[in-house]
Amino acid sequence: MFVELSSGGDPAVVLREPDNFKQFHVAAHALTDDEVGAALAGSGAGTWDGDHAWISTAFLERNGRPDSNEWQEGFAAMVRYAAKSGWTSADGKAIRAHVERVTQ
């Protein structure tokens, strides 16, 4: 799964490939660091620390497949793996994601 940020007036923030629990990242289409931070904060998706995005687990759950037990199990496993790897916030409410810059 990945969070896509795209420009065009107000940046749009969309969860893509919600069933792919192995390639978590943020794809930012032609946005500056300030725009990435504003898009994440404004949408409730997360925050930007200048190096990584911190994506809210609540945002992911709302925009994933919350009615699917299979999806919930896969998501929980992804969060456990992220926590074990040190990629979650201290309170466990956000997962760190690298930001891929998309220039197209």
Side-chain angles (χ1 to χ4, degrees):
M1 86 179 50
F2 66 98
V3 177
E4 183 176 45
L5 309 177
S6 58
S7 60
D10 290 328
V13 180
V14 179
L15 182 64
R16 302 282 188 206
E17 299 179 13
D19 297 316
N20 180 351
F21 299 108
K22 306 233 182 246
Q23 297 181 351
F24 186 65
H25 65 282
V26 170
H29 293 267
L31 298 175
T32 67
D33 284 354
D34 289 341
E35 290 170 326
V36 167
L40 291 171
S43 66
T47 60
W48 168 248
D49 71 8
D51 291 316
H52 295 95
W54 289 90
I55 305 300
S56 159
T57 56
F59 170 84
L60 297 172
E61 287 183 292
R62 275 193 315 272
N63 291 282
R65 303 199 196 290
D67 295 336
S68 164
N69 288 336
E70 182 179 343
W71 188 90
Q72 288 291 336
E73 290 170 10
F75 180 69
M78 184 183 91
V79 172
R80 282 192 304 275
Y81 181 81
K84 182 173 69 169
S85 300
W87 301 331
T88 56
S89 60
D91 63 5
K93 293 183 180 181
I95 302 171
R96 186 177 79 184
H98 69 277
V99 176
E100 294 181 4
R101 302 297 180 153
V102 181
T103 57
Q104 295 181 359

